[in-house]
Amino acid sequence: MGLFSKLFNNKEKRKKAEKYKIGMMKTRKSSLSSLKDILQNSRTIDEDLFSKLEEIFIMADVGVDTVIEFIENIRKVVKSKNIDNPLDLENIIVDQMFELYLKNEIINTNIRYNKEGLTVILFVGVNGTGKTTSIGKLAHKIKQEGKSVMMAAGDTFRAGAINQLKVFGERVGCEVIAKDAGSDPSSVIFDAIKQAKDKKIDVLLIDTAGRLQNKKNLMMELDKINRIIKRETKSEVFDTFLVIDATTGQNGLSQAEIFSEVTDITGIILTKLDGTAKGGIVLAIRNQLGIPISFVGLGEKLDDLEYFDIEDYIYGLFSDFFE
Ligand SMILES: Nc1nc2c(ncn2[C@@H]2O[C@H](COP(=O)(O)OP(=O)(O)OP(=O)(O)O)[C@@H](O)[C@H]2O)c(=O)[nH]1
Ligand SMILES: [Mg+2]
């Protein structure tokens, strides 16, 4: 039994990972569905088998460079342990994926709470990735954890966006600070921080507009917002979460590169992992960007946002192996 299988031999752990198992069904049942069959129907571990494995993980959007490294690691283990039964690869694949993710550094996916007072979290990302929905979900989660939350409608571009946030505010039961459409986002943010501080709110979640203007404008707008947050909270430390839609695959990675160039991204919220067969994108993000994934969206309901957890994620990818 591999290290990872041992870990998931535990009922409690499986229960905790259940959301990932359900949410990642598309990836498991399409991109990775042939994995088990291929291992069962291969008689030896040879180049043909390795190239089939490579193809499967590339299909799942793990990213070519990452897949090459991953397969190479599997090859090494097979060689050093003299493994010749293809079925033994199940455990090796799972354990090596775990190692690939954990190499180098410890990943802190928690919110950086400001111990001195108000914690501010800014949400950025292109159109339709799920910023507003994720704010609603995160507000719900933070409230459930016993903290008070407020939202700021910093997406003043469309009236619809402001209303959407207000609806989330009602559902979650928290106040939403908003001005009319067309107002300066910075002035909404300024007001929201003031009110949140006056009311001794623990966490303020700030929505922003998703249109990806040219890089220079984006940079100027985010600079201005960052300055206001730092000045009004008297703190240099706050989280900026970049929201990426998992269904956009490698395109999401380029968005992350652009945003990283214009502002300091502290974490990624990867949404719609439930809606894609290419859930391997998590590993590509990890390997190519080096920005931690803080949360994943696993559905449209209010409680479908989970802290990113690599063990649960790998269980979501390979739970068929454990059955
Ligand atoms: N299945 C699924 N749908 C999601 C998830 N997160 C967001 N969505 C859906 O994605 C759509 C867009 O979400 P929004 O929150 O409006 O996206 P946005 O980034 O705020 O969009 P703009 O304000 O237009 O920039 C909505 O229909 C959401 O329900 C998720 O994790 N899973
Ligand atoms: Mg929005």
Side-chain angles (χ1 to χ4, degrees):
M1 196 187 275
L3 283 175
F4 199 80
S5 316
K6 272 189 198 139
L7 196 65
F8 275 91
N9 225 353
N10 174 318
K11 252 197 184 148
E12 284 296 304
K13 286 236 28 133
R14 285 189 188 219
K15 196 163 166 240
K16 182 180 158 275
E18 189 66 20
K19 275 242 168 102
Y20 278 77
K21 183 179 169 184
I22 296 168
M24 294 186 63
M25 188 151 81
K26 273 202 181 161
T27 300
R28 214 169 47 246
K29 299 295 178 205
S30 45
S31 301
L32 298 182
S33 64
S34 53
L35 198 54
K36 213 170 174 162
D37 285 346
I38 287 175
L39 296 180
Q40 268 164 1
N41 297 328
S42 298
R43 278 188 296 144
T44 52
I45 301 179
D46 52 16
E47 276 316 301
D48 184 45
L49 177 57
F50 282 127
S51 67
K52 279 182 187 147
L53 292 179
E54 233 170 58
E55 202 177 306
I56 289 175
F57 289 106
I58 288 173
M59 286 296 290
D61 240 358
V62 171
V64 178
D65 293 345
T66 311
V67 171
I68 291 172
E69 183 182 343
F70 175 56
I71 299 292
E72 193 49 41
N73 294 346
I74 294 174
R75 234 189 272 265
K76 280 184 197 152
V77 177
V78 166
K79 207 169 163 203
S80 71
K81 294 194 172 161
N82 278 324
I83 308 242
D84 51 17
N85 181 356
L87 284 177
D88 291 341
L89 284 179
E90 280 192 2
N91 277 321
I92 297 173
I93 287 173
V94 177
D95 286 350
Q96 285 308 309
M97 187 147 280
F98 195 48
E99 287 207 0
L100 185 74
Y101 196 90
L102 291 184
K103 68 170 193 193
N104 299 330
E105 63 197 290
I106 296 164
I107 300 132
N108 177 13
T109 64
N110 290 327
I111 294 170
R112 297 192 296 175
Y113 283 109
N114 173 9
K115 293 186 190 73
E116 312 291 311
L118 179 67
T119 297
V120 170
I121 305 175
L122 184 67
F123 287 67
V124 299
V126 306
N127 261 341
T129 49
K131 291 178 295 299
T132 309
T133 309
S134 298
I135 288 178
K137 289 172 174 175
L138 188 57
H140 177 63
K141 203 173 198 61
I142 291 172
K143 238 191 132 185
Q144 277 184 327
E145 291 172 5
K147 294 190 166 66
S148 54
V149 193
M150 190 182 260
M151 305 176 183
D155 178 359
T156 57
F157 197 59
R158 293 179 295 120
I162 300 168
N163 289 333
Q164 189 191 359
L165 200 66
K166 284 183 177 163
V167 170
F168 274 117
E170 269 165 35
R171 284 175 65 194
V172 174
C174 76
E175 201 176 339
V176 179
I177 306 302
K179 289 189 178 181
D180 291 339
S183 313
D184 180 359
S186 294
S187 82
V188 177
I189 294 168
F190 178 89
D191 276 10
I193 294 177
K194 189 171 180 317
Q195 293 208 41
K197 282 193 342 196
D198 287 350
K199 292 178 183 164
K200 300 210 167 1
I201 295 288
D202 296 317
V203 187
L204 175 67
L205 306 176
I206 303 175
D207 198 9
T208 62
R211 74 225 129 97
L212 187 57
Q213 321 103 315
N214 66 53
K215 227 160 124 181
K216 191 159 168 259
N217 285 346
L218 183 68
M219 191 185 287
M220 276 170 21
E221 192 161 315
L222 289 175
D223 271 353
K224 189 169 164 192
I225 291 174
N226 288 343
R227 268 202 311 278
I228 285 176
I229 295 174
K230 285 178 188 166
R231 194 182 72 209
E232 296 310 311
T233 59
K234 298 191 179 60
S235 168
E236 288 290 315
V237 182
F238 66 95
D239 276 319
T240 301
F241 287 154
L242 173 67
V243 182
I244 297 182
D245 175 343
T247 65
T248 62
Q250 300 293 316
N251 198 2
L253 284 173
S254 357
Q255 290 162 20
E257 274 159 15
I258 293 173
F259 273 92
S260 303
E261 285 167 24
V262 298
T263 196
D264 185 17
I265 304 295
T266 57
I268 286 171
I269 299 190
L270 186 66
T271 60
K272 310 184 201 181
L273 204 49
D274 56 304
T276 181
K278 295 173 174 292
I281 190 77
V282 164
L283 295 144
I285 290 174
R286 167 76 185 86
N287 254 26
Q288 288 175 37
L289 298 174
I291 306 170
I293 296 179
S294 302
F295 293 92
V296 289
L298 292 165
E300 290 193 85
K301 294 196 304 295
L302 213 46
D303 60 0
D304 285 337
L305 186 79
E306 292 289 305
Y307 285 100
F308 180 67
D309 182 303
I310 185 62
E311 290 173 2
D312 295 354
Y313 166 74
I314 291 180
Y315 183 67
L317 282 181
F318 299 114
S319 63
D320 290 352
F321 283 177
F322 301 107
E323 259 135 39

